[in-house]
């Protein structure tokens, strides 16, 4: 069924300010764009700021291919206190004097928390335990212990260090999807023997998308549709492109497999001119549809 050519469609980057939920940022985008069909590729806590990727209209179907991309964060970690939530919003559980620490003391424990590691997520997280979010169980007074899971921290570096009884360290983290920066703060403090928690967090990158290209969610203009990145362009930034002729485009658009050309491998963004036909997978010499996009309006 052809899509409405006047309906907004594309990827919107926004810079979430501190103090609002990701849902509130989505609501503001809905108002600015004049549509309710807006989704996001990964939330940020109210305390956190930075990049949210929103899918609008049919481009919400792209979000499943964006959510798993690597990410970059900048953060501030307080050393000398641990909290129930591993961040500044929780209650302090233990304290210790961190005044003996210098930036040199951080090198070894940060290296141990880098690379492919097994990380125990923060108990105040959206991970489900017996069908209920872990954070809901914690807030109800339950003790929640989550299992460690593999993540990759490809960069965990010091940007600045401020010594004191409660020292502060500014860091930058490149990591795989599913990595908890709060857990890095907790584990760094534990390794140093003084406790640690997160006091500031900013997401600056998701895959090829960067926060510098994102308007602040509070300041989305009525003409926000002009800020939408066309689905074909967005898909081509995260996947190899398969250029389709009329026959291959028609086959994929109707959910049929079609021939794969030499050099097309794995998951691809299947495009026809400036339109995203869908996401497809190459199996042998066949191109199989994975996610189709409505035909109709140009992208």
């Amino acid at each position: 069924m052809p899509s409405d050519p006047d309906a907004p469609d594309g990827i919107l980057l926004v810079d979430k300010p501190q103090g609002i939920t990701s849902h509130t940022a989505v609501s503001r985008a809905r108002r600015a764009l004049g549509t309710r069909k807006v989704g996001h590729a990964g939330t940020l806590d109210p305390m956190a700021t930075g990049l949210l990727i929103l899918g609008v209209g049919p481009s919400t179907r792209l979000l499943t291919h964006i959510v798993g991309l690597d990410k970059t964060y900048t953060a501030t970690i307080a050393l000398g206190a641990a909290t129930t939530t591993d961040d500044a919003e929780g209650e302090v559980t233990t304290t210790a004097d961190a005044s003996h620490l210098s930036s040199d003391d951080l090198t070894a424990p940060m290296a141990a928390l880098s690379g492919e590691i097994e990380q125990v997520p923060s108990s105040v997280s959206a991970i489900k335990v017996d069908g209920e979010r872990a954070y809901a169980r914690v807030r109800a007074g339950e003790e929640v212990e989550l299992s460690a899971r593999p993540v990759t921290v490809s960069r965990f570096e010091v940007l600045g260090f401020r010594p004191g009884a409660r020292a502060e360290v500014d860091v930058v983290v490149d990591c795989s999807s599913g990595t908890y920066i709060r857990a890095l703060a907790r584990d760094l403090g534990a390794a140093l023997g003084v406790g640690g928690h997160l006091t500031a967090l900013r997401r600056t990158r998701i895959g090829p998308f960067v926060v510098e290209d994102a308007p602040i969610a509070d300041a989305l203009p009525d003409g926000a549709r002009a800020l939408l990145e066309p689905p074909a362009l967005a898909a081509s930034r995260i996947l190899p492109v398969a250029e389709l002729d009329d026959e291959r485009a028609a086959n994929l658009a109707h959910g049929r497999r079609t021939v794969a050309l030499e050099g097309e491998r794995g998951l691809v963004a299947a495009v026809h001119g400036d339109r995203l036909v869908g996401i497809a997978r190459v199996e042998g010499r066949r191109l199989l549809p994975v996610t189709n996009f409505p035909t109709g309006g140009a992208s």
Side-chain angles (χ1 to χ4, degrees):
M1 183 177 180
S3 60
D4 179 359
D6 295 324
D9 181 17
I11 294 296
L12 179 66
L13 309 182
V14 297
D15 184 351
K16 188 191 85 66
Q18 191 173 39
I20 69 169
T21 65
S22 297
H23 179 73
T24 298
V26 169
S27 296
R28 291 175 181 175
R30 286 172 174 159
R31 288 195 296 272
L33 294 164
T35 181
R36 289 204 53 79
K37 195 167 184 182
V38 179
H40 61 74
T43 62
L44 285 170
D45 291 337
M47 179 189 105
T49 69
L51 183 61
L52 280 177
I53 297 183
L54 308 184
V56 181
S59 289
T60 54
R61 303 177 192 188
L62 273 178
L63 297 179
T64 188
H65 303 285
I66 293 174
V67 70
L69 298 175
D70 288 354
K71 299 169 176 64
T72 297
Y73 296 89
T74 56
T76 299
I77 298 169
L79 298 172
T83 72
T84 54
T85 57
D86 302 327
D87 64 20
E89 296 186 337
E91 296 180 7
V92 174
T93 56
T94 63
T95 61
D97 187 352
S99 58
H100 63 284
L101 294 175
S102 70
S103 59
D104 291 341
D105 295 314
L106 307 179
T107 302
M110 290 178 72
L113 292 168
S114 301
E116 296 179 1
I117 63 172
E118 293 286 324
Q119 184 185 67
V120 177
S122 175
S123 59
V124 182
S125 68
I127 295 171
K128 287 190 175 181
V129 179
D130 296 330
E132 189 175 6
R133 302 289 185 186
Y135 62 74
R137 289 179 173 271
V138 170
R139 288 169 184 164
E142 292 185 37
E143 294 236 353
V144 175
E145 291 187 12
L146 299 173
S147 300
R149 53 183 59 194
V151 299
T152 301
V153 178
S154 52
R155 179 169 58 149
F156 188 17
E157 296 178 357
V158 174
L159 297 178
F161 182 77
R162 293 175 292 282
R166 185 168 295 186
E168 289 189 328
V169 55
D170 299 324
V171 300
V172 59
V173 181
D174 291 338
C175 58
S176 61
S177 180
T179 303
Y180 282 84
I181 311 303
R182 281 180 293 163
L184 287 178
R186 175 200 67 205
D187 293 344
L188 177 61
L192 292 165
V194 296
H197 66 277
L198 202 65
T199 60
L201 180 67
R202 181 165 176 78
R203 186 160 64 196
T204 60
R205 180 187 65 87
I206 301 174
F209 305 99
V210 295
V211 74
E212 288 80 6
D213 295 335
I216 297 174
D218 285 345
L220 282 175
D222 291 338
R225 292 189 184 203
L227 301 175
L228 290 174
E229 184 166 312
L233 175 58
S236 70
R237 294 176 66 185
I238 60 174
L239 292 168
V241 173
E243 297 278 359
L244 307 182
D245 58 20
D246 291 347
E247 181 180 0
R248 293 208 300 161
N251 284 335
L252 281 183
H254 290 91
R256 298 191 296 264
R257 65 182 63 194
T258 190
V259 65
L261 301 184
E262 185 70 27
E264 293 176 348
R265 294 183 180 85
L267 208 61
V268 297
V271 301
H272 183 228
D274 63 354
R275 184 171 68 82
L276 178 64
V277 178
I279 306 300
R281 182 178 66 253
V282 179
E283 288 189 3
R285 300 185 64 182
R286 293 293 181 183
L287 198 59
L288 300 128
V290 173
T291 308
N292 277 357
F293 283 73
T295 58
S299 305

